[in-house]
Amino acid sequence: MIEVNPDCCDLCGTCISVCPKDCITLTESRLIIDDSQCNACQICVRVCPFKALRLVE
Amino acid sequence: MRKEYDVIVVGGGPAGSTAARFAKTATNTVALFERDREIGIPVRCAEATSIQDLERFVKIDPRWVATTITKARLISPSDQKVWLNLPNDGVILNRRLFDNGLAEIAATQGVEIFTKANVYKIVSDGEQNWEVFVRHLDRDYIVKSKIIIAADGVESRIARFAGIRTQTVLKDIESCAQVLLGNLDVVENQIDFYFSSRWAPGGYAWVFPKGNRTANVGLGVNGAYYKRRSAIEYLDDFINEKFPEAARLTTVAGGVPVAKSLKKIASDGLLIVGDAARQVNPVTGGGILAAITAGKIAGLVAAQAIARNDWSVNVLKEYQTEWDKNVGKDYARFYKIKEWMTELSDDELDEIATLLQKIPPDDINIMTVFKIALRNKPALLLEAIKLFAQMI
């Protein structure tokens, strides 16, 4: 699954724009990934400007 | 907050505020929901645009303008500098004040604006209305609306609830980081674009002065050129080399869609505007003017639809037609230029810079010069240069 580091995440939404499974959402204060929908393709990891996303086993 | 509105706009950037302003009439009701606590921040933008073009839509408050730009340099990987004289009045905006100003104009027209209002779902009620689920402060509301204008930025999730696929492929997104630098020695009326795979593979780095020894310094990396380094890491290298003495005042991240505009930007009761509709100049990444152009058209079409009591796609598709006619067809061509530019190697960029340096800055738009100077797709290069000179 993909883990968000809230200390790095700038809440910019770039990951949401590319997520093919549409499983990332944003509130005013945090980014949420729906693990039940995520297929760990890591496209979000590639576009994150601040390296806030990573794959964890 | 009312129980129902004629038009609900999701997102309080330039596209959303402009759409709300033009959607509001004396007889209808319009609300704008902004997720953040304040309209205008954070500023995920390099803030460059052309004042002449903006003036067609709004009276410019001088406080919105940080600096006026008259010259630009395109800098190649081997540090060759190509000078451009800008044909329009280029400006670097204070987006915070600019966005605030646009929202204020909408509010003056009677638009009801809510901040800290997160729209997390929209559902059709089966009778040609939407139910908009919004969390505002500590409470959940379900608000009815005839038309929704989705101005929700690069993430573009609202349209997906209506079955419109807005996802962007990797090569059509620029992953961007920007720092406002202080304590800088920069020329105030001049902007710089750096092209190099070292600084920004598949994109470029920019230095846009904002006055008082400050500048927006940032870069965009194309998603397809990912090499296990993030935009902020590239930017660190760039700043350490070019501006080692500078103070880092703010740091922001952002994604810029450099895609074709969405094919479908209008459906029953729904209009999509701005970054959410991928309405960005794909060569420069500039989106302010496109957002305002689209916002105005969408707002006017929405107001008309409410007045005619028909907000089906049959009426709303007028927005699509007008967008395609005014901007969309140009951007479709620009997209091809972007596809060509992102694939240029550093050697090719240097070769082009060498040829361009021989041309005086004022003549750089002359087609014939390029035809002589360049073997490789001169028309595309000419258009690319023009786009950077126009700053849109």
Side-chain angles (χ1 to χ4, degrees):
Chain A
M1 58 184 223
I2 304 293
E3 191 179 73
V4 190
N5 179 348
D7 293 336
C8 291
C9 178
D10 198 43
L11 308 171
C12 72
T14 308
C15 51
I16 301 175
S17 74
V18 294
C19 176
K21 304 291 283 183
D22 196 16
C23 64
I24 314 177
T25 52
L26 200 52
T27 72
E28 192 211 336
S29 56
R30 72 192 186 106
L31 189 79
I32 301 157
I33 298 176
D34 180 352
D35 292 331
S36 71
Q37 298 294 315
C38 175
N39 65 358
C41 71
Q42 299 185 70
I43 286 176
C44 56
V45 175
R46 297 167 70 107
V47 300
C48 176
F50 283 1
K51 240 182 186 170
L53 300 168
R54 69 183 183 109
L55 182 72
V56 291
E57 296 307 324
Chain B
M1 194 181 299
R2 296 167 198 254
K3 286 196 170 63
E4 54 182 275
Y5 290 90
D6 292 312
V7 181
I8 285 179
V9 180
V10 182
S17 286
T18 305
R21 165 189 166 195
F22 286 101
K24 183 75 183 83
T25 64
T27 52
N28 70 14
T29 52
V30 179
L32 185 154
F33 294 134
E34 164 57 45
R35 182 173 55 211
D36 265 302
R37 69 177 80 89
E38 182 182 331
I39 302 274
I41 57 163
V43 177
R44 301 191 193 283
C45 180
E47 303 180 288
T49 191
S50 142
I51 201 90
Q52 276 171 346
D53 290 320
L54 270 189
E55 273 170 342
R56 292 190 282 124
F57 297 93
V58 63
K59 188 174 176 298
I60 307 296
D61 180 333
R63 291 178 309 157
W64 299 348
V65 177
T67 46
T68 304
I69 304 299
T70 55
K71 285 180 162 48
R73 295 187 303 179
L74 308 179
I75 300 166
S76 80
S78 67
D79 217 31
Q80 301 178 70
K81 296 174 180 74
V82 177
W83 285 87
L84 297 178
N85 289 333
L86 304 185
N88 291 329
D89 297 325
V91 291
I92 308 300
L93 291 171
N94 282 311
R95 271 290 301 276
R96 181 183 186 169
L97 299 178
F98 175 68
D99 287 26
N100 254 285
L102 295 183
E104 248 181 78
I105 292 167
T108 309
Q109 305 286 318
V111 174
E112 295 175 33
I113 297 180
F114 299 89
T115 57
K116 273 186 176 284
N118 182 28
V119 175
Y120 57 90
K121 190 165 71 172
I122 62 168
V123 180
S124 170
D125 74 350
E127 291 168 18
Q128 297 183 327
N129 290 305
W130 294 102
E131 285 178 339
V132 177
F133 291 69
V134 55
R135 187 162 181 83
H136 177 49
L137 297 169
D138 195 30
R139 279 185 60 187
D140 287 302
Y141 300 82
I142 302 172
V143 190
K144 287 226 176 197
S145 180
K146 292 170 183 161
I147 296 174
I148 292 173
I149 300 180
D152 55 327
V154 67
E155 67 183 80
S156 189
R157 282 197 87 237
I158 295 298
R160 296 184 202 175
F161 291 116
I164 297 173
R165 198 175 159 78
T166 65
Q167 279 91 335
T168 298
V169 295
L170 272 173
K171 73 182 174 78
D172 287 348
I173 195 94
E174 294 282 331
S175 175
C176 302
Q178 177 174 275
V179 174
L180 177 67
L181 288 183
N183 188 33
L184 272 188
D185 288 315
V186 283
V187 181
E188 293 233 331
N189 63 350
Q190 174 193 312
I191 54 175
D192 287 339
F193 301 92
Y194 291 82
F195 295 84
S196 164
S197 64
R198 180 181 171 203
W199 303 128
Y204 63 86
W206 60 84
V207 178
F208 292 174
K210 285 197 76 181
N212 299 315
R213 296 171 59 79
T214 67
N216 286 332
V217 177
L219 53 79
V221 180
N222 188 287
Y225 289 80
Y226 177 73
K227 294 186 192 75
R228 300 194 173 277
R229 298 189 78 218
S230 60
I232 193 71
E233 290 170 299
Y234 283 104
L235 185 57
D236 267 338
D237 288 353
F238 183 73
I239 292 172
N240 287 338
E241 171 146 331
K242 304 286 181 191
F243 309 105
E245 307 293 323
R248 302 182 189 210
L249 303 176
T250 59
T251 306
V252 286
V256 176
V258 286
K260 291 179 186 159
S261 303
L262 285 188
K263 272 208 188 77
K264 191 173 181 180
I265 53 176
S267 68
D268 289 326
L270 180 75
L271 299 166
I272 314 164
V273 294
D275 280 10
R278 314 310 183 207
Q279 289 164 330
V280 172
N281 179 327
V283 173
T284 64
I288 298 169
L289 210 57
I292 289 176
T293 308
K296 179 175 178 179
I297 303 168
L300 291 173
V301 168
Q304 209 176 53
I306 297 298
R308 287 167 60 177
N309 207 31
D310 178 0
W311 47 92
S312 69
V313 69
N314 297 330
V315 173
L316 297 188
K317 72 181 180 204
E318 176 67 10
Y319 160 58
Q320 178 116 36
T321 308
E322 284 294 305
W323 163 262
D324 286 342
K325 198 172 76 187
N326 285 292
V327 192
K329 64 171 171 19
D330 288 338
Y331 279 17
R333 197 170 71 248
F334 298 169
Y335 181 79
K336 289 182 191 145
I337 302 175
K338 167 245 159 182
E339 292 280 89
W340 166 72
M341 280 184 72
T342 48
E343 284 178 12
L344 290 172
S345 69
D346 282 1
D347 285 345
E348 286 171 315
L349 285 165
D350 275 319
E351 198 180 319
I352 289 166
T354 306
L355 291 164
L356 287 176
Q357 278 182 320
K358 295 174 184 155
I359 302 163
D362 281 326
D363 296 346
I364 226 153
N365 287 340
I366 300 170
M367 189 70 169
T368 48
V369 179
F370 282 87
K371 281 189 172 156
I372 296 159
L374 294 160
R375 307 179 302 266
N376 189 21
K377 299 189 184 176
L380 290 181
L381 179 66
L382 174 67
E383 285 214 60
I385 299 288
K386 272 188 190 162
L387 294 176
F388 280 100
Q390 284 165 358
M391 304 183 67
I392 53 170

